[in-house]
Amino acid sequence: MSHAQRRRGVATAAAVVAALALPTAAIAAQGPNPPDATTSSGPPADLDAMFIGAHPDDEASTLSTFGQWGTDHDVSTGVVTITRGEGGGNAVGPEEGPALGLIREREERQAVAKAGITDVYNLDEVDFYYTVSEPLTAQVWGHEETLAKTVRILRQTRPEVLVTMNPAPSPGQHGNHQEAARIAVEAYHAAGDPSRFPEQITKEGLKPFSPDRIWMRAANGTSANGPGCAKAFVPADPSQTVHGVWSGTPSPDGRTWAAVERDAQRVYASQGWAGFPDVSTNPAQLGCDYLTLVDSRTPLPRWGADAAFTNSAPLEGSLLPVAGGLPLGSGMTVETDRFRVQPGAPFTVTVGATSPAGSALGAAMARLAVPEGWTVAGSGALGSVPAGATREASFTVTPAAGAPVGTRVRVQAFVDAAGGTGYQDEPVLVSAPVTATQQLLPQVAQFHAWTREVGADALADIVRPVLTLASGGSRTVEVAVTNHSAAVQSGTVTPRPPAGFTMTPATTAYAGLAPGATTKVTFTATNTDTSLRTSVEGGTGGDYLYTIDTTSSGATGTTQQAFELVPTATVPQAATAPTVDGVVSAGEYAGPVLDVSRRWEGEACSSAADCSATAQVAWRDDTLFVAVTVTDDVKGTPLATSDCKRHWRTDAVEIAIDPRGTSENTSTTFKAAILPWTAEGGPCHLRDADAHQGDGPTTAPGMKVASTVTQPYTGYVVETSIPMSLLPSAVDPGHMGLNVLPYDSDTQDKTGQTRIGWSVWGGVQGDPYRWGDVRLVGYVPPAGRPTTPADPVIPTEALQSVDSPQSIEQAVRTNVALAGRPSSSEDEIAWVDKAKVRGASVELRLRVRDPGTVHITVQDADGIAGRLVTAVDRPRSGLVTVTVPLTRALGANASVLLGWDDGTGGTFSSTATPK
C-alpha cells in the first residue's frame, strides 16, 4: 500500500468498478465485462512521486534519489516522458522515427527499473529536433493538449511529490526541457482545480487532485562532494530552498546509489552512454542530487536546521513526517501579495493551515519571522481547524527603511498547534522603487510573463539579461524602466558599460512614471575595443557584465546586465565562382580566414592536431561558397550514405545560416551538415533542425558538396556551394548570421567527443542570435524574394502508445490509459478474448462493443513476431475474429498485446497468451 493510500484511504476496487459500470441490462446486452487481470479496466495505480521530463534519459541523473526514496521510505515513483526521443541519435543501429522510439522506450524502462521504477507514461508527442525554443516546442506539441494529458495522469495516479526540469530559457537549455518543466508546474496547479479540464471530472469520473509540492531538478550555487554535500551547498539566491540527496549512500546490493545510477545511465546505449566510466568508489568524491523548491502546499523542514539537509528532507511534511512538526496530512501555505517589496512600504503575508482529513488542528496559531528591523502586525490566531478544513491569518509586514535593495530574503512562517509546529517560507525581493533592465530576448520576456502567470516570480531572474553585439559594432539597446512603488516617480537611468564598450547617451531622464507603469529609454552600445575575445572566451564565461543604475525618490536601483560579443566577417564577391572540389585553390576565397577552433561542447582538444579548423567564405551571383579545412588525428566511423543523418555521431561540419540575422529559433534558418566520408567513400550532406530538415538532395536541391581526405590521415577539407534561393528568406547583406561548427569523433561507436566552431557557446547551434555576424559586400537579393520566411516543415512522426507493446503491458498492469488519453467508455471498448496459434499466424477472438481500430502486436522473448492494425465493426454477436500473420515461429513467453483506439480519443488495452 502506497503512502497516499495510507494517508488518505482509497476506494475499493469493487467500488471503482461499480462506479464505472453500465446498467445491468446494458451489460447483459453487450456480453461479459472485461477481465481486470488482462485488460486496463479497474482502479488506476497510485503513486507517491512523479518525474516529468521531455525525453527518455531526462530522469537519468536523478535515479540515485528515486532509488533511495523507494528503498528507504517505500516511495513509489513514476515517470512522465512526453516524447520517446525519436529526434535523438542512434549509436546502436539505423533505426529512426517510431522504430527508434521503441528502442528508447525500452532503454528507459530498463534504466529506471534499476531504481525500482516500473511506471513510465509516454505522452506520444514528437521529439522533432534539438531546439532551444520553448515557444516552438509548445506550438509543435500543442501546449494545452499536452498539459491536459499530464493533468489526467496526475489525477489518476495521484502523486504527492513532483520533480521536473528547469523551465527557464537558460542559454543552451533544450526547449523541450523548458516546455516539459512548464507543463509540470502548470499541471501542479491545474490538477486540483475542477475548472481546468472539467470533462475529465464530469465525463471520465476523475477527481481533482492537488500534489503537495513540486521540485526543479536544477540548482544554481556552489557545492562540495561527500556526505555533507546537502549542507555544503550555498545557493546563489539565498532565498531559494535547495535540498541535496547524497548519492554516496549504499544501495541494497552494497554499492553506492551513484554506482547504480551509472549502471542505469549506461543502458541508454542508443545515446552513446554505454561507455560512461565508473563513478568513484570513494564516497567522499560523490556529490548530491540537488532539488530546488518551486512550490509547496505542505509544511517543510525548517530551512537552516539539520533536518533540512537529510536525504529525506524533500519528502518530509508530505510523504514523511517532520520531526516535531504538524501531523502528517496537514497542509500549510504562505503567500505574499507581491514579490517585489520596498524599504519602509508595507505588504501583506497570508498564512494558511489545513488540518488532516481525519483530525483537527487544535488551538492553532500562525506567526512570522522576518529580518531584523522589519515589523509584523497581525494576531495570527487560527483557532481550532476542523478536520479537512483550512484557516488563514493575514499579517502586515513592513521592511526596515534601510533594508538593502537588490537583496532577496525569506519571510518565514510557523503554525503552532497541539500536534507540533509547521514551517513554510516565501521569498521576496527588496527592490528600489524604480529599476531598469535592458531589452529582453523574446524567449526571456515570454518566460518572465509565464513566471508571473503561475505565481513563480522568484524564478524569473534565473536568466541574466543578455544581448549580443558584433565585435567592433554598434546596436540600439532599449531599456525598460519600471516603477514598482505606489507613488509617481522621476529620475535618471545610467548604464555603466563594461571596459571596451561605450553607451550613449551617458545618462537619460524619465519623469512622471505612474505606479506599476513601464517606460522605455534608448541607448546606443558600441564595442570600441576590437581586441576583446568573442564567444565563450570573452568576459565571464562569455558575458561582459555591466550594470544599470536608476535613481528615484526613494533609492537607486542597480541591475546587472551583459553583452556577448560575436565574431564578424566581411565577405567579398569572388572574382569567379569557386570550384566545389574539396580543394582550396589560391585566390578562390578572397575574404578572411575564420578561426573555427574554439570549443563549445565536449572534451577539450588535446592539441591542434587533435581538432582544429579554419573556414573561408565567398559569394558569387546568388550563391554562397564555404570551404572548411579541418585538422584531425583520428577518423570517426564512416556512416552509410543511407544513414546520412544525426551528424554529431561522427566527423562532420555544420554550416548554419540565419538569412536576416533576426531568427528567434532555427525553424527560420538553414542548417546543413557535411560528412566528409561515408561507408561508400564519398561525402554526403543533410539539413538538420532547421526550416526543412532531411537528406540534402531532397531538402537542398542544387547544393553541392565535395571533400578531400589526407593520406596518411591528418584531416580533411569540405567545400560546398549553397544557392541562396534555398534559404528560408532573402539575405540581409549587411547582417547575415553565420556559424561554422566542426564535430570531432575519435571513436568507431557513433559518438562524438568534441565540438568546435566560429561563434561558440554551449548549445550555440540552437541560438541564432549568437551566431557570427557577416556582411556580404555588394550582394543584392533578387527582386521579389520574400523577407518573411515561409512556415517551416517540422517532423511530426512519433510512435503512438497503441503500437508500443511495452506501454500496453503497463496499461494493463496499472489500469492507466495509454498516452495520457482518456480510457474508452464501457460501451466503446474492445479486447482480446482468446488467442490461438494456427500455423504461421495467430487467430484472435475479440470482444467488440463499438467500431474502432485494433493495434495488435504478437511477441515472444526474442521480440516482435507479428503486427496488425485494422479497423473493426461491432457485429450483433459482439465477437470478431482477426488473424495476425507471423514473421517467424513463436518461441518462449509469447503474448498478444492489443491497443484499442475508439476513434474519439479514448483507448483500451488488453493482453492474451496464445495457445
Side-chain angles (χ1 to χ4, degrees):
M1 181 177 289
S2 75
H3 286 279
Q5 290 171 314
R6 285 195 286 268
R7 287 182 56 206
R8 296 190 173 100
V10 296
T12 65
V16 173
V17 171
L20 298 176
L22 291 170
T24 303
I27 294 173
Q30 301 216 41
N33 283 329
D36 285 353
T38 58
T39 71
S40 56
S41 62
D46 183 273
L47 297 174
D48 300 316
M50 186 77 81
F51 177 86
I52 300 175
H55 316 101
D57 74 36
D58 283 348
E59 79 298 313
S61 63
T62 320
L63 290 178
S64 67
T65 291
F66 297 143
Q68 287 186 69
W69 288 353
T71 298
D72 297 345
H73 306 293
D74 195 28
V75 172
S76 58
T77 299
V79 176
V80 171
T81 302
I82 295 176
T83 80
R84 286 182 172 83
E86 295 94 339
N90 186 359
V92 297
E95 297 87 356
E96 58 182 338
L100 177 57
L102 271 177
I103 292 172
R104 295 201 65 183
E105 179 183 351
R106 185 179 307 114
E107 289 177 338
E108 182 173 33
R109 292 183 181 278
Q110 292 173 350
V112 301
K114 294 182 182 295
I117 297 173
T118 59
D119 296 1
V120 177
Y121 302 95
N122 292 104
L123 299 191
D124 294 359
E125 299 303 332
V126 63
D127 179 25
F128 51 101
Y129 54 60
Y130 174 79
T131 179
V132 297
S133 174
E134 184 277 337
L136 181 64
T137 304
Q139 174 188 334
V140 173
W141 285 357
H143 179 85
E144 281 299 296
E145 178 188 355
T146 307
L147 175 60
K149 292 193 287 187
T150 306
V151 167
R152 181 178 286 110
I153 289 174
L154 296 186
R155 286 173 173 172
Q156 290 172 311
T157 60
R158 306 175 77 78
E160 282 75 15
V161 175
L162 304 184
V163 181
T164 190
M165 311 186 79
N166 182 355
S170 304
Q173 157 94 311
H174 201 313
N176 288 184
H177 296 170
Q178 299 172 48
E179 171 67 354
R182 297 191 203 182
I183 285 172
V185 172
E186 292 182 38
Y188 167 83
H189 294 290
D193 183 351
S195 70
R196 298 302 309 275
F197 311 110
E199 70 283 353
Q200 297 180 7
I201 297 167
T202 59
K203 295 182 180 180
E204 300 172 33
L206 302 180
K207 293 181 179 180
F209 172 76
S210 295
D212 289 343
R213 62 186 58 156
I214 180 167
W215 299 93
M216 178 175 69
R217 190 207 62 194
N220 184 18
T222 59
S223 62
N225 291 333
C229 55
K231 197 167 187 176
F233 185 83
V234 179
D237 173 359
S239 68
Q240 281 188 331
T241 295
V242 181
H243 287 304
V245 180
W246 186 45
S247 64
T249 57
S251 71
D253 68 8
R255 297 179 303 155
T256 63
W257 275 108
V260 174
E261 179 178 275
R262 179 50 50 89
D263 274 358
Q265 291 169 340
R266 288 171 176 150
V267 172
Y268 290 105
S270 70
Q271 304 309 292
W273 292 14
F276 276 11
D278 290 344
V279 299
S280 175
T281 56
N282 180 0
Q285 298 302 313
L286 300 177
C288 278
D289 293 341
Y290 292 107
L291 303 174
T292 300
L293 185 68
V294 177
D295 201 359
S296 178
R297 299 181 173 100
T298 54
L300 299 163
R302 182 176 180 179
W303 185 251
D306 288 343
F309 305 115
T310 67
N311 287 354
S312 62
L315 306 175
E316 292 177 10
S318 172
L319 296 171
L320 301 174
V322 176
L326 297 177
L328 195 62
S330 300
M332 183 177 173
T333 57
V334 54
E335 298 179 356
T336 60
D337 66 346
R338 69 201 66 180
F339 172 61
R340 287 179 178 267
V341 300
Q342 276 82 56
F347 65 98
T348 301
V349 179
T350 303
V351 178
T354 303
S355 65
S359 61
L361 292 177
M365 176 71 71
R367 55 187 171 90
L368 300 181
V370 295
E372 185 177 356
W374 294 35
T375 62
V376 178
S379 74
L382 297 170
S384 179
V385 184
T390 299
R391 296 287 185 268
E392 293 182 342
S394 292
F395 301 87
T396 298
V397 177
T398 304
V405 298
T407 59
R408 295 185 180 220
V409 301
R410 298 172 187 267
V411 175
Q412 297 183 310
F414 302 85
V415 170
D416 301 310
T421 297
Y423 171 85
Q424 264 271 28
D425 59 41
E426 183 74 3
V428 294
L429 170 63
V430 182
S431 173
V434 181
T435 60
T437 302
Q438 72 179 16
Q439 66 194 70
L440 300 176
L441 295 168
Q443 290 182 31
V444 178
Q446 187 254 10
F447 173 65
H448 280 212
W450 177 82
T451 62
R452 291 191 295 271
E453 290 169 6
V454 300
D457 303 69
L459 297 179
D461 291 338
I462 288 177
V463 185
R464 177 185 293 147
V466 168
L467 290 174
T468 53
L469 188 63
S471 178
S474 298
R475 69 167 295 160
T476 298
V477 178
E478 283 190 344
V479 172
V481 184
T482 302
N483 182 0
H484 309 289
S485 76
V488 175
Q489 296 286 347
S490 299
T492 59
V493 181
T494 305
R496 304 194 181 280
F501 296 79
T502 62
M503 294 183 73
T504 56
T507 189
T508 192
Y510 70 94
L513 188 60
T518 296
T519 190
K520 292 182 179 179
V521 295
T522 301
F523 298 87
T524 298
T526 302
N527 170 225
T528 55
D529 182 356
T530 57
S531 69
L532 293 179
R533 304 294 291 271
T534 65
S535 303
V536 75
E537 296 175 346
T540 303
D543 288 353
Y544 288 93
L545 305 175
Y546 77 100
T547 58
I548 299 177
D549 293 342
T550 309
T551 64
S552 61
S553 62
T556 297
T558 300
T559 57
Q560 189 174 79
Q561 326 289 314
F563 290 129
E564 293 181 339
L565 278 181
V566 299
T568 61
T570 298
V571 175
Q573 179 175 204
T576 59
T579 302
V580 181
D581 56 4
V583 177
V584 180
S585 302
E588 273 194 305
Y589 295 86
V593 176
L594 309 181
D595 178 6
V596 294
S597 300
R598 300 181 182 94
R599 179 174 66 97
W600 57 281
E601 277 186 2
E603 302 170 6
C605 301
S606 60
S607 65
D610 175 27
C611 49
S612 59
T614 60
Q616 294 166 275
V617 185
W619 70 272
R620 178 73 188 180
D621 300 325
D622 196 32
T623 301
L624 196 68
F625 297 86
V626 182
V628 184
T629 302
V630 177
T631 300
D632 184 27
D633 58 352
V634 179
K635 289 179 68 174
T637 185
L639 304 178
T641 302
S642 61
D643 193 25
C644 187
K645 55 181 73 79
R646 298 179 173 92
H647 52 284
W648 51 85
R649 298 176 293 161
T650 189
D651 291 302
V653 171
E654 184 174 37
I655 298 167
I657 303 171
D658 178 7
R660 311 293 301 170
T662 57
S663 290
E664 172 63 18
N665 59 70
T666 61
S667 70
T668 52
T669 70
F670 177 96
K671 290 173 69 254
I674 302 169
L675 278 61
W677 53 78
T678 59
E680 291 81 359
C684 69
H685 65 291
L686 63 134
R687 290 177 65 177
D688 176 70
D690 68 351
H692 189 185
Q693 75 171 19
D695 68 279
T698 301
T699 62
M703 178 179 172
K704 298 178 182 178
V705 300
S707 67
T708 57
V709 182
T710 60
Q711 296 294 338
Y713 182 72
T714 57
Y716 59 89
V717 175
V718 295
E719 193 172 17
T720 182
S721 63
I722 302 170
M724 285 188 260
S725 60
L726 293 176
L727 305 182
S729 58
V731 165
D732 177 353
H735 187 54
M736 185 185 82
L738 175 72
N739 221 345
V740 179
L741 304 163
Y743 292 68
D744 180 53
S745 173
D746 291 339
T747 70
Q748 299 302 304
D749 62 1
K750 298 182 182 178
T751 61
Q753 281 67 57
T754 307
R755 301 179 182 185
I756 57 178
W758 185 39
S759 184
V760 297
W761 281 269
V764 71
Q765 81 274 37
D767 280 329
Y769 75 95
R770 286 173 151 178
W771 298 350
D773 188 78
V774 168
R775 180 172 173 242
L776 301 185
V777 179
Y779 174 73
V780 178
R785 182 167 292 169
T787 57
T788 300
D791 291 339
V793 179
I794 303 289
T796 58
E797 188 179 19
L799 178 68
Q800 300 300 293
S801 290
V802 288
D803 293 314
S804 167
Q806 304 163 97
S807 292
I808 293 169
E809 286 176 331
Q810 176 178 295
V812 170
R813 175 174 52 81
T814 65
N815 298 326
V816 176
L818 298 170
R821 293 165 61 180
S823 180
S824 298
S825 65
E826 290 281 337
D827 57 352
E828 293 179 319
I829 59 176
W831 70 93
V832 181
D833 186 52
K834 291 183 179 180
K836 188 170 184 177
V837 178
R838 293 192 180 277
S841 64
V842 174
E843 183 180 274
L844 307 180
R845 188 175 79 175
L846 311 180
R847 292 196 176 273
V848 181
R849 290 186 174 174
D850 207 45
T853 303
V854 291
H855 297 249
I856 302 168
T857 302
V858 181
Q859 67 177 16
D860 60 16
D862 295 324
I864 295 172
R867 283 190 180 277
L868 178 69
V869 178
T870 186
V872 296
D873 286 323
R874 181 188 184 278
R876 183 176 296 274
S877 67
L879 297 175
V880 173
T881 300
V882 298
T883 299
V884 182
L886 296 175
T887 58
R888 55 176 173 79
L890 283 178
N893 301 322
S895 62
V896 174
L897 302 110
L898 184 146
W900 168 255
D901 187 332
D902 63 22
T904 60
T907 70
F908 196 69
S909 300
S910 61
T911 63
T913 301
K915 305 299 184 182

